[in-house]
Amino acid sequence: MTFRDDSEWLTLGQAARFLGVAQSTIRKWSDQGRVPAFYTPGGHRRYRRSDLESFLDRSGPGGRPKSGPLVLLVDDDEKVRELVRVNLEFAGYTVREAGSADEGLSAIEEAKPDLVLLDVMMPQTDGWEMLRKIQEQYGAGAIPVVMFSGQVDEEAQAQAATSGAQGFVGKPFDLQQLIEQTKQIAPV
């Protein structure tokens, strides 16, 4: 690859904006070979616009698979959401994020997900209240929910089961365990 036409090549930041993802996400995708990149002698990445357009044609906006089950990830911690989203997308899921229960409930109104991954501890409306609202509006079990929390004890796990959640995972969680539980509920 050579840099003959500068307008054809994008920097890491430009490519991330073009795809609608964080720079860390496109960096990971290039390291995994999902998005072709040219590495400059100085160690920087450059992306050919046509390669990014082909990636979007295969994957859809934000690099999400076009046909994977929709997972709604509700957590007030942006870093947790990014980590989980990137790994679920890599496993073949379409992931929508929400930073609060209210955002999550609005997202469900726009597109009913195949699964909701829901943090228990959030400001304003906590995960238990959001779960109750989902069940009130759509019916118990109509939208599968897996709860996760940093406070892991038998009481929280029992509450998840009695509240109608399909699962409970402790934080910091084992990503592989979370993905396996996701696959059991919403197979790719």
Side-chain angles (χ1 to χ4, degrees):
M1 290 185 186
T2 60
F3 287 126
R4 296 186 192 270
D5 180 5
D6 288 339
S7 65
E8 182 182 340
W9 294 91
L10 303 175
T11 65
L12 176 65
Q14 292 168 328
R17 280 190 300 280
F18 183 84
L19 293 177
V21 298
Q23 290 184 22
S24 59
T25 300
I26 193 170
R27 193 178 299 119
K28 181 176 181 176
W29 287 344
S30 0
D31 291 345
Q32 294 169 340
R34 291 179 64 192
V35 177
F38 173 80
Y39 294 84
T40 69
H44 300 285
R45 293 172 173 89
R46 296 292 181 265
Y47 299 87
R48 195 177 356 203
R49 183 180 300 275
S50 60
D51 289 338
L52 298 177
E53 288 168 350
S54 295
F55 178 75
L56 284 177
D57 287 343
R58 289 191 316 269
S59 305
R64 292 183 288 272
K66 289 182 178 177
S67 60
L70 176 61
V71 175
L72 174 61
L73 174 60
V74 184
D75 192 318
D76 59 318
D77 186 332
E78 187 176 340
K79 291 181 182 187
V80 168
R81 287 196 321 265
E82 181 178 3
L83 176 68
V84 173
R85 177 183 46 80
V86 167
N87 282 278
L88 285 174
E89 287 175 349
F90 192 68
Y93 289 91
T94 300
V95 180
R96 182 146 187 211
E97 295 180 46
S100 69
D102 290 339
E103 285 179 24
L105 292 168
S106 294
I108 292 172
E109 288 177 17
E110 291 173 22
K112 184 179 168 190
D114 298 295
L115 173 66
V116 176
L117 297 177
L118 179 57
D119 186 21
V120 171
M121 304 297 292
M122 293 186 292
Q124 288 93 33
T125 307
D126 69 14
W128 300 119
E129 180 65 15
M130 181 176 169
L131 175 61
R132 187 186 65 71
K133 288 180 178 182
I134 291 170
Q135 292 173 341
E136 271 180 11
Q137 191 164 357
Y138 300 95
I143 300 175
V145 176
V146 171
M147 307 293 290
F148 54 91
S149 176
Q151 295 180 326
V152 182
D153 55 31
E154 288 181 23
E155 185 179 318
Q157 291 176 331
Q159 184 176 357
T162 59
S163 297
Q166 279 67 29
F168 184 89
V169 178
K171 277 168 82 177
F173 39 72
D174 175 345
L175 277 171
Q176 195 56 45
Q177 177 190 3
L178 184 65
I179 290 169
E180 288 307 315
Q181 195 159 16
T182 300
K183 286 180 179 179
Q184 289 175 5
I185 296 168
V188 179

